[in-house]
């Protein structure tokens, strides 16, 4: 089933705020093998000018992948999640994520194409604090594999 | 430690063996229920030869090559990547980064994931700025509109 191109340009309502915890940042850093003290030790992070431990640069995927369910589970768009493969991705940072941030995501569908029986969906997720301060924008291309 | 880089400079390679345990931990911390990353029998049913690495984990390892190679004097402002082929655990990977543009307070590096076979699994581009430096970097790039 192909994706409906009329969804291009659609913006979804802001997601519920995500509270970034210090232990989550530590666990994420440990899972990727990042031992930099700025990810683990608040004092080390403060010495670099951050208010608390700093998340590694790809940490925002924790928040944006959860937020993207808004699109993937939109019954009107009709994505079959069992056929979804994550593809290319792009990040533009205003500042790093730190423990204590409360983050809100706004999803926009930027592009829908199909090729070789597969659907390609490009989304942009603008991540900001609940006070409205921009943090990072994340573009994701997902492939919805065809039935063949 | 030198903090001056020139076009053509290469950062130390990040060599890393990804294990099934690391995939399980990364799935857990990112709350990713997709079984191709931690259930080998299911992954084979889906047509994979083994447990598939998360593309986001590969991106996180690739960026470690840059952030650990440059140190806290630099921070990532933009990052994008293109996937070339899937990778299955256990995987011996190496990430290499080369400076392609350097203009004082900012620079661009090209990033690749090298496989033992000699193939390239992933290509990325990273833009970094000196921490504390005032830059006039605009974002985002390419087709997207304003982000905030």
């Amino acid at each position: 089933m192909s994706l409906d191109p009329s969804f291009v340009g659609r913006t979804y309502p802001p997601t519920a705020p995500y509270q970034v915890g210090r232990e989550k940042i530590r666990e994420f850093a440990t899972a990727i093998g990042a031992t930099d003290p700025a990810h683990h030790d608040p004092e080390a992070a403060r010495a670099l000018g951050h208010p608390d431990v700093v998340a590694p640069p790809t940490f925002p995927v924790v928040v944006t992948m959860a937020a993207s369910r808004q699109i993937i589970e939109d019954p009107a768009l009709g994505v079959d999640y069992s056929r979804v493969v994550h593809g290319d991705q792009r990040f533009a940072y205003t500042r790093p994520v730190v423990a204590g941030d409360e983050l809100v995501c706004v999803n926009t569908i930027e592009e829908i194409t199909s090729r070789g029986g597969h659907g390609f969906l490009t989304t942009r997720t603008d991540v900001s604090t609940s006070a409205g301060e921009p943090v990072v924008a994340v573009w994701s291309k997902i492939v919805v594999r065809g039935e063949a | 430690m030198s903090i001056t880089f020139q076009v053509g400079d290469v950062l130390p390679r990040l060599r890393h063996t990804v294990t099934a345990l690391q995939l399980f931990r990364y799935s857990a911390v990112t709350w990713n229920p997709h079984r191709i990353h931690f259930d080998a029998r299911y992954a084979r049913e889906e047509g994979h030869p083994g447990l598939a690495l998360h593309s986001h984990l590969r991106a996180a390892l690739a960026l470690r090559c840059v952030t650990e190679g440059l140190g806290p004097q630099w921070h990532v402002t933009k990052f994008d990547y293109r996937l070339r082929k899937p990778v299955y655990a256990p995987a011996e990977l190496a990430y290499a980064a080369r400076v392609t543009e350097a203009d004082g307070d900012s620079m661009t590096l090209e990033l690749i994931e090298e496989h033992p076979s000699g193939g390239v699994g992933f290509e990325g581009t990273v833009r970094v700025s000196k921490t504390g430096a005032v830059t006039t970097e605009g974002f985002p790039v390419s087709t997207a509109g304003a982000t905030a």
Side-chain angles (χ1 to χ4, degrees):
Chain A
M1 170 173 128
S2 60
L3 300 168
D4 179 355
S6 75
F7 277 71
V8 172
R10 182 167 301 204
T11 293
Y12 289 77
T15 56
Y18 178 97
Q19 190 74 42
V20 179
R22 188 185 284 167
E23 300 303 342
K24 186 73 166 188
I25 287 178
R26 286 173 169 155
E27 287 174 0
F28 183 89
T30 301
I32 66 167
T35 56
D36 183 335
H39 303 314
H40 299 274
D41 175 4
E43 286 308 315
R46 283 185 199 114
L48 294 170
H50 303 289
D52 205 317
V53 295
V54 188
T58 61
F59 180 87
V61 302
V62 173
V63 187
T64 61
M65 276 183 60
S68 72
R69 288 210 302 269
Q70 205 179 28
I71 294 174
I72 288 166
E73 294 175 359
D74 179 347
L77 182 60
V79 173
D80 177 356
Y81 190 67
S82 70
R83 299 192 161 274
V84 165
V85 179
H86 290 275
D88 302 351
Q89 191 133 22
R90 182 153 53 98
F91 299 81
Y93 300 89
T94 305
R95 68 158 173 84
V97 171
V98 294
D101 278 340
E102 190 173 86
L103 300 176
V104 173
C105 297
V106 174
N107 288 311
T108 302
I109 297 181
E110 290 218 331
E111 189 177 58
I112 292 175
T113 58
S114 61
R115 196 171 67 238
H118 306 297
F120 297 84
L121 175 67
T122 302
T123 61
R124 184 181 88 234
T125 306
D126 291 308
V127 183
S128 58
T129 65
S130 49
E133 180 198 2
V135 176
V136 59
V138 182
W139 289 258
S140 303
K141 182 177 267 187
I142 62 168
V143 184
V144 185
R145 291 180 296 136
E147 305 282 338
Chain B
M1 186 195 330
S2 167
I3 56 165
T4 305
F5 293 90
Q6 294 179 332
V7 171
D9 284 351
V10 176
L11 301 183
R13 269 182 176 65
L14 182 112
R15 296 181 190 283
H16 183 78
T17 301
V18 178
T19 62
L21 174 62
Q22 185 172 27
L23 296 191
F24 173 75
R25 277 191 168 156
Y26 189 81
S27 290
V29 77
T30 57
W31 208 247
N32 181 339
H34 208 162
R35 285 160 65 193
I36 61 169
H37 304 302
F38 58 82
D39 180 341
R41 189 159 60 181
Y42 179 83
R44 281 191 290 271
E45 283 171 17
E46 285 269 298
H48 299 283
L51 295 174
L53 270 64
H54 315 71
S55 58
H56 295 138
L57 172 59
R58 296 162 68 188
L61 295 171
L63 275 187
R64 275 184 52 205
C65 172
V66 173
T67 57
E68 293 175 14
L70 295 177
Q73 293 91 345
W74 297 85
H75 65 278
V76 176
T77 57
K78 289 178 194 163
F79 173 45
D80 67 79
Y81 63 82
R82 286 81 62 195
L83 297 167
R84 295 289 173 249
K85 53 177 81 162
V87 187
Y88 300 96
E92 282 179 42
L93 301 173
Y95 293 91
R98 188 173 65 88
V99 178
T100 57
E101 261 183 78
D103 46 21
D105 288 338
S106 297
M107 57 182 177
T108 303
L109 299 98
E110 293 298 329
L111 191 53
I112 57 169
E113 177 189 78
E114 300 170 333
H115 294 184
S117 64
V120 170
F122 161 125
E123 295 169 328
T125 308
V126 191
R127 186 80 177 156
V128 296
S129 289
K130 268 189 188 160
T131 300
V134 176
T135 70
T136 53
E137 292 275 298
F139 78 81
V141 289
S142 134
T143 58
T147 57

